[in-house]
Amino acid sequence: MTQEELLPLVLKKDDRAFTLLYDMYSKSLFAVISNLVSDREEAEDVLQESFVKIWKNIETYNDTKGRLYTWMLNITRNTAIDKLRSKGFNNKQKNLSSDNFVHLLDDSNKMTNRIDTIGIQEFVKKLKPKCIQLLDLLFFKGFTQQEASEELEIPLGTVKTQNRNCINDLRTYLQV
């Protein structure tokens, strides 16, 4: 079936048309998504989300402005970029499994590995609760100050000031 034959069926929201649309374009759109989103499961989710957007917004397609594939490609690319920019996706990337770090503890004879296990977190636990929460986000979970500001729902300037004060408190405990 050609694009010209398929489009009227899609515009009528014919159930058969969705399957045909998916069969015709899913592989090439998935390839585009995979270039942006390296995780296969996430890429599959983006593909599904893209086809839902395409199906729901098909009436906005204008054949005088370009080909159907190009229009679908833009929706798919934007959906993938939105996924990459999403807070949940970024947090998932930051919160790595502890399996990624087990090797640091396995070879305790190396000085570089012992540095990672000196117990800084034990000193952090002695700080005020707001400092514990802030330092956990910034240093143990890898948030930026902007992201911590959004997560804690406090102004960026307050995050910066609290971070500086908390680090000074930590220095006092460490006697550095």
Side-chain angles (χ1 to χ4, degrees):
M1 180 174 281
T2 66
Q3 175 182 313
E4 291 75 25
E5 296 169 334
L6 177 63
L7 191 56
L9 294 174
V10 173
L11 288 168
K12 291 178 188 174
K13 303 283 185 178
D14 184 309
D15 292 337
R16 229 174 15 119
F18 184 83
T19 304
L20 292 169
L21 187 71
Y22 186 86
D23 290 344
M24 286 176 68
Y25 296 105
S26 62
K27 287 181 183 175
S28 58
L29 294 177
F30 187 74
V32 171
I33 295 167
S34 295
N35 285 330
L36 295 169
V37 180
S38 57
D39 182 81
R40 183 168 178 84
E41 265 185 48
E42 293 288 341
E44 289 170 353
D45 288 346
V46 170
L47 180 65
Q48 180 179 357
E49 190 177 331
S50 298
F51 268 98
V52 168
K53 286 181 180 180
I54 290 165
W55 188 253
K56 286 184 176 180
N57 297 304
I58 192 66
E59 63 277 347
T60 64
Y61 168 67
N62 183 343
D63 62 350
T64 62
K65 292 184 179 180
R67 296 180 54 224
L68 177 63
Y69 177 74
T70 306
W71 179 78
M72 292 172 57
L73 183 64
N74 284 328
I75 289 175
T76 302
R77 190 178 137 280
N78 290 340
T79 303
I81 291 169
D82 290 346
K83 174 61 89 175
L84 290 172
R85 290 180 179 166
S86 74
K87 191 173 190 176
F89 182 81
N90 287 323
N91 288 343
K92 182 180 174 186
Q93 299 303 315
K94 288 177 188 167
N95 296 329
L96 299 174
S97 167
S98 60
D99 296 340
N100 295 330
F101 303 100
V102 170
H103 70 280
L104 294 176
L105 300 175
D106 287 344
D107 186 7
S108 60
N109 293 330
K110 290 185 179 177
M111 183 60 180
T112 57
N113 290 344
R114 283 201 303 246
I115 290 170
D116 291 328
T117 61
I118 63 173
I120 294 292
Q121 202 158 16
E122 292 305 313
F123 288 100
V124 171
K125 288 179 182 175
K126 295 178 182 179
L127 297 171
K128 299 173 192 164
K130 69 178 182 177
C131 284
I132 293 171
Q133 186 179 26
L134 182 62
L135 293 179
D136 181 57
L137 290 175
L138 293 174
F139 295 100
F140 296 108
K141 291 186 178 168
F143 280 51
T144 64
Q145 289 182 340
Q146 179 64 44
E147 291 168 334
S149 167
E150 293 166 4
E151 179 74 19
L152 299 173
E153 297 177 348
I154 57 176
L156 179 59
T158 303
V159 167
K160 290 178 179 185
T161 301
Q162 285 182 358
N163 182 31
R164 186 173 48 252
N165 293 340
C166 294
I167 295 295
N168 286 335
D169 291 347
L170 188 58
R171 282 188 182 129
T172 302
Y173 285 126
L174 294 171
Q175 299 172 354
V176 180

